[in-house]
Amino acid sequence: MLWMKWKMVVDSLRGRRRRLPCSLWFLLLFAAGGLVLFIHQQDLSEMVQQQGPGVKLGSTPRQSRETLSTQDREKSKSDNYPDHQTAEGILSSPIPPMQFPHFEKSRETAIPGSREQDIGSLHVSKRHRKLLKTSPPISHTNSNVSSSSSSSLSSISSSSASGSFSPESWKKLSDILEARRQLMKEMCAKYKSSISRTITRHHVKHLFVEDKYKLLYCQVPKAGCSNWKRTLMVLAGQAANTQSIKHDTVHYGHHLKKLDSFDRQGIMHRLETYTKVMFVREPLERMVSAYRDKFENPNNYYHSLFGKPIISKYRVNPSWTALKTGSGVTFKEFVQYLLDVHRPVGMDIHWEQANQLCNPCLIDYDFIGKFENMEEESNFLLRWTGAPPNLTLPSFKDRNPTDKRTSMQITQKYFSQVSLLERQRVYDFYYMDYLMFNYSKPFKDLY
């Protein structure tokens, strides 16, 4: 009996020894599978490293496409942005990011008395400034039109100037104008890089066309636009001289063509090939000039359309006569209207920001002139474009001729009627004009 039990124990041990190799084989297979998986993962990680940063193991296909499209956009920024037309007829030429230009001789070339800052030492405030308005696209054409119309000012030979410009003065003014264009590009790249790159009819509605001399002039009211329109009419052969053209003929005679009257192809052709011109003025001085012209002199249109709602909203206990006529709007009331986000009546071209009127971040202007040096710069432009040598920009003042021209001294007098906070807010309202066109602060207590 004892022997039988011992035999059963020995047989059971022998059976376990026979099954032991199966367990070992299973463990070996499991280990081999783990080793293969580990090697496969190592191969994948090496492939990811070869593809470069931005593609991560386990990322979704959507993430990879976004990364690649971002890389494509970055690559496109390094190109030279040649103008081209797509299948839909939309021209693309985005503004590339630019380094701030350094003009070592800018102090030497600054125009005396122009209140134009030294471009090389321009300091941009760190406070956050909100852009006050944007314009929705109306119809699609494209974006920042490059200046292919004619060669740059710096490449024009001084021999093309008339006797009124010496080679030295021609070169000096050319450098100043080119510096303004470069500064404009820098400001646009820094502050308006996110705007739509589409030029619409809305963006060119303030540009006047002179086809004979291939000029596009963007009007900025209170910056010499009446006399420039007279000059364009003479260039177009519609008048013998500028002195004979009356103010109402200039503004209401419809003698000049506007760029938005052409079809898309005509608009883009002229933007690409014509000389594009705009003149600007110290922003607060221009604003005071507009107030004096429209509200301190008889003007039924502005008194009725703007004066009535301004007096109604901002004047305490207005008289019945003031409400009926809209006459007598004070400068403080005008400032209150301008700063009100819920204005009782909309904006007007005479005090709208110049950068909103002419859209220099979409349209690459060949010539950015200054009202403070209007005569010299206008005649420079006329000689540059090949206008008749006897044609110069007129300087007469045909509206309210007895009024003194608005100067910075007069501007400061008007702004003494408002509070420091209101002065600051008006400066903030025109802040982008101050930056883009390089005007210094008009008051020392502004920040």
Side-chain angles (χ1 to χ4, degrees), residues 71-180:
Q71 292 174 347
D72 291 340
R73 286 196 299 270
E74 293 299 323
K75 181 179 182 298
S76 69
K77 290 181 180 179
S78 65
D79 296 336
N80 293 326
Y81 298 98
D83 291 335
H84 61 280
Q85 192 164 6
T86 63
E88 292 104 6
I90 298 177
L91 274 137
S92 274
S93 108
I95 301 172
M98 299 177 61
Q99 297 298 318
F100 192 83
H102 296 283
F103 300 102
E104 297 177 357
K105 298 184 179 180
S106 58
R107 289 188 183 274
E108 300 174 12
T109 58
I111 300 171
S114 68
R115 297 187 298 281
E116 187 168 359
Q117 296 188 78
D118 174 13
I119 297 178
S121 61
L122 180 66
H123 174 70
V124 179
S125 171
K126 292 183 179 179
R127 5 185 345 253
H128 176 69
R129 311 269 183 171
K130 184 182 291 185
L131 298 182
L132 294 172
K133 59 187 293 186
T134 56
S135 300
I138 297 174
S139 64
H140 294 285
T141 45
N142 173 6
S143 96
N144 186 310
V145 177
S146 66
S147 178
S148 60
S149 57
S150 41
S151 55
S152 67
L153 290 170
S154 59
S155 66
I156 301 293
S157 170
S158 61
S159 63
S160 63
S162 71
S164 61
F165 288 95
S166 67
E168 293 77 14
S169 62
W170 183 272
K171 174 68 165 58
K172 180 180 179 180
L173 195 49
S174 297
D175 290 344
I176 291 170
L177 293 164
E178 185 61 26
R180 289 176 189 167

Side-chain angles (χ1 to χ4, degrees), residues 184-213:
M184 176 61 68
K185 290 181 180 179
E186 165 65 19
M187 293 297 102
C188 290
K190 185 170 185 178
Y191 291 98
K192 295 207 172 186
S193 59
S194 61
I195 64 173
S196 170
R197 302 299 182 189
T198 300
I199 290 181
T200 70
R201 292 184 184 276
H202 175 77
H203 294 124
V204 300
K205 67 181 181 180
H206 298 302
L207 271 72
F208 289 87
V209 180
E210 203 297 292
D211 284 317
K212 182 177 180 181
Y213 290 90

Side-chain angles (χ1 to χ4, degrees), residues 248-285:
D248 287 350
T249 304
V250 170
H251 292 285
Y252 310 117
H254 303 291
H255 295 288
L256 295 172
K257 293 177 287 186
K258 299 185 75 173
L259 188 56
D260 64 352
S261 67
F262 294 88
D263 60 16
R264 185 196 59 79
Q265 185 176 359
I267 291 173
M268 298 311 297
H269 169 71
R270 286 167 174 81
L271 285 173
E272 292 167 4
T273 59
Y274 283 24
T275 300
K276 298 171 285 295
V277 178
M278 66 179 295
F279 277 84
V280 295
R281 184 177 184 177
E282 204 286 333
L284 265 59
E285 186 178 292

Side-chain angles (χ1 to χ4, degrees), residues 16 18-30:
R16 286 179 185 175
R18 284 195 300 267
R19 289 193 295 272
L20 187 60
C22 294
S23 301
L24 287 174
W25 181 247
F26 176 77
L27 291 172
L28 288 173
L29 287 177
F30 182 78

